[in-house]
Amino acid sequence: MIENQPKVFTVLDLIDLDLKEQNALNLRCIAGRSGLSRAITVPDLNRPGLALAGFFESFAWERLQIFGRGENAYLSMLQSQNSFDSIKKLFTYQLPCCIFTSSLEPGETFLAEAEKAGCPILVTDLNSSDFSGRVIRVLYDIFAPKTTMHGVLVEVFGIGILLTGDSGVGKSETALELIERGHRLVADDVVEIRCVNGSILMGQGANKVIGHHMEIRGLGIINITHLFGVGAIRDKKQIQLVCQLEDWDPNKTYDRIGMDELTAEILGVKVPKLEIPVKPGRNIPVIIETASMNERLKKMGYHSAKEFNQNIMRWLESENARALYFSRDDY
Amino acid sequence: MVELETTIKNRAGIHARPSAMIAQTAVKFTSRVFLEKGGNRINAKSIMGIITLAASFGSVIKIIADGPDEQAAAEAIKALFDSGFNEELG
């Protein structure tokens, strides 16, 4: 597993984000284009009301500055009073950007000052609360701890399974068979993993352009979407189980009962892990399917191995109890 | 562990064919081989992984090999980059 160095996330990246309808931010830039390369360093917002009123103590300038109806009304008042000191002072800070909600637009002086300072001014048609909710969600996602892992992420019976293992152990072939059986591919080879909310691992392909392609030895690169249809793919999926495929090692003891629970730790989050030995004649996809169903049973509160063992213990108990009534000679 | 740096010399960058050449060279060695570009590190034995790097002409790539034959592995891959994958050089 390799930790990625955080990349700089700029205002331009924020505008460029490709988000679906209910998450779209609808941002456009109306001034200060030269500052679009400014970095957004914290996933947080600030309403700069106090700053506009001239109070700059503890001013959280490094956050996105959100101007709603209140702030905009105050700006118009400043404009009518020709008092621009606080606006000038505001732009002495390296603000990442100012965002006006509800399609509001500030007065000319404000825009001119922003242009001078090279601070991007963005406008969105969403209202402040809607926009804040969406942008916070987006930023938390972007600033979430991230890593990339070598493996294949598939969704099997609704469970996100990360297949890992050395090159050539048959991860892609296993995934292909799973897709053929009606399960879904999320990402092949390079899986980008984000830790959301500190406890959920979201996996997705590292790159949209080459996403949902697989390399199968002997076939080359194939396009899963075109071959199996959109039903066979998914954009992202929570990783709920890690299956580590490895060449059968006769000296290693593999779990035969399923009582001990192995876990894999990814970005500090523990995920159940299975070590699956690969040997000719072992049908790995069926094992993965079964593992997935077993995982679902566990989530529903039924643990096959534990339940089995409890039944055995109960039976042994009852045999003991019966032995009290019958002398051993009766058998 | 051996680390070597190289730049992409062929005009087209690392598309499918060069990426296959790198992966095929890397699997010949038992060492674990990685390529790194801009803090992004991937397994050099995986074609799709290498393509994901989006290494275009002029990008700087770090080759990292770790294992018993690390020196030979890193040098063999560096030689591939330096030869420009038998393609038109930029």
Side-chain angles (χ1 to χ4, degrees):
Chain A
M1 195 199 315
I2 308 111
E3 298 285 334
N4 279 351
Q5 284 160 7
K7 279 194 190 123
V8 179
F9 185 75
T10 64
V11 179
L12 188 60
D13 291 332
L14 182 72
I15 301 176
D16 269 348
L17 282 177
D18 180 23
L19 298 163
K20 306 266 152 57
E21 285 167 26
Q22 72 277 18
N23 294 319
L25 298 174
N26 303 343
L27 287 169
R28 61 199 167 85
C29 180
I30 56 166
R33 269 168 225 283
S34 59
L36 284 177
S37 58
R38 286 192 180 183
I40 298 171
T41 51
V42 285
D44 222 333
L45 310 177
N46 184 46
R47 300 291 292 259
L50 283 174
L52 291 177
F55 186 77
F56 282 90
E57 215 164 290
S58 300
F59 174 45
W61 57 270
E62 69 283 0
R63 302 182 182 178
L64 299 183
Q65 306 295 323
I66 307 293
F67 291 71
R69 285 185 202 284
E71 285 82 359
N72 202 47
Y74 193 79
L75 282 179
S76 333
M77 190 200 79
L78 290 180
Q79 179 95 32
S80 63
Q81 290 177 349
N82 271 332
S83 93
F84 302 118
D85 290 350
S86 62
I87 295 178
K88 281 186 178 138
K89 180 146 186 211
L90 182 73
F91 284 119
T92 57
Y93 291 88
Q94 270 281 321
L95 311 172
C97 63
C98 297
I99 300 172
F100 285 79
T101 57
S102 316
S103 297
L104 298 167
E105 286 192 18
E108 274 168 29
T109 326
F110 189 87
L111 291 179
E113 288 296 330
E115 198 69 54
K116 218 192 288 171
C119 173
I121 305 296
L122 313 181
V123 177
T124 174
D125 57 358
L126 301 167
N127 64 38
S128 299
S129 49
D130 250 359
F131 180 79
S132 309
R134 290 184 191 188
V135 81
I136 280 283
R137 222 169 31 231
V138 166
L139 290 178
Y140 267 76
D141 215 29
I142 287 160
F143 284 85
K146 218 180 4 174
T147 183
T148 46
M149 276 180 83
H150 182 62
V152 189
L153 181 57
V154 282
E155 184 207 70
V156 180
F157 294 128
I159 298 274
I161 301 184
L162 181 68
L163 304 172
T164 61
D166 293 333
S167 298
V169 78
K171 297 183 293 290
S172 297
E173 286 77 3
T174 303
L176 188 62
E177 166 99 42
L178 286 168
I179 294 161
E180 226 268 332
R181 285 163 174 266
H183 305 293
R184 300 189 169 119
L185 174 75
V186 185
D188 180 39
D189 240 13
V190 187
V191 184
E192 189 180 285
I193 303 168
R194 287 168 202 275
C195 174
V196 187
N197 292 336
S199 61
I200 292 173
L201 294 172
M202 262 307 167
Q204 62 184 78
N207 187 320
K208 279 223 164 105
V209 183
I210 64 161
H212 304 124
H213 284 70
M214 287 180 93
E215 187 225 335
I216 302 289
R217 268 155 234 186
L219 281 184
I221 293 173
I222 55 172
N223 184 332
I224 298 299
T225 322
H226 287 175
L227 281 168
F228 296 93
V230 279
I233 58 161
R234 248 194 101 128
D235 278 343
K236 54 181 172 183
K237 175 71 193 167
Q238 185 190 349
I239 299 174
Q240 292 153 303
L241 181 67
V242 174
C243 286
Q244 188 179 322
L245 305 184
E246 51 189 43
D247 284 323
W248 190 296
D249 178 359
N251 299 319
K252 185 170 170 177
T253 45
Y254 293 100
D255 195 358
R256 303 281 294 262
I257 301 170
M259 295 274 281
D260 318 320
E261 294 187 358
L262 293 174
T263 52
E265 201 172 310
I266 303 170
L267 293 170
V269 180
K270 286 204 170 82
V271 193
K273 182 177 100 168
L274 297 174
E275 285 175 346
I276 298 180
V278 177
K279 194 160 87 163
R282 259 170 82 84
N283 188 337
I284 306 299
V286 170
I287 294 173
I288 306 272
E289 271 186 339
T290 314
S292 166
M293 290 190 280
N294 206 23
E295 195 57 31
R296 285 191 65 177
L297 268 185
K298 281 186 203 168
K299 278 193 200 299
M300 293 159 87
Y302 184 89
H303 193 299
S304 307
K306 279 188 188 153
E307 206 82 4
F308 176 74
N309 201 35
Q310 265 163 17
N311 284 341
I312 292 177
M313 297 215 288
R314 214 173 295 138
W315 174 55
L316 292 177
E317 281 294 311
S318 71
E319 285 295 294
N320 276 342
R322 286 162 68 91
L324 292 175
Y325 294 97
F326 304 106
S327 73
R328 294 251 157 222
D329 304 338
D330 295 345
Y331 284 106
Chain B
M1 186 157 78
V2 179
E3 289 190 16
L4 295 175
E5 240 175 42
T6 183
T7 40
I8 311 284
K9 296 191 174 59
N10 59 320
R11 194 75 200 81
I14 304 300
H15 54 98
R17 209 183 58 86
S19 142
M21 288 170 76
I22 297 168
Q24 276 161 7
T25 311
V27 292
K28 285 182 200 150
F29 299 93
T30 49
S31 299
R32 300 182 337 132
V33 190
F34 300 99
L35 298 182
E36 197 177 293
K37 184 197 148 202
N40 231 335
R41 183 189 282 201
I42 54 87
N43 185 340
K45 296 185 181 180
S46 127
I47 293 186
M48 296 301 275
I50 299 168
I51 296 175
T52 316
L53 277 185
S56 49
F57 173 66
S59 356
V60 179
I61 303 281
K62 199 193 273 177
I63 304 162
I64 300 143
D66 187 16
D69 46 8
E70 51 192 32
Q71 191 66 37
E75 274 165 14
I77 289 180
K78 186 172 185 324
L80 263 182
F81 276 97
D82 291 343
S83 71
F85 307 98
N86 309 324
E87 285 187 3
E88 188 192 336
L89 301 181

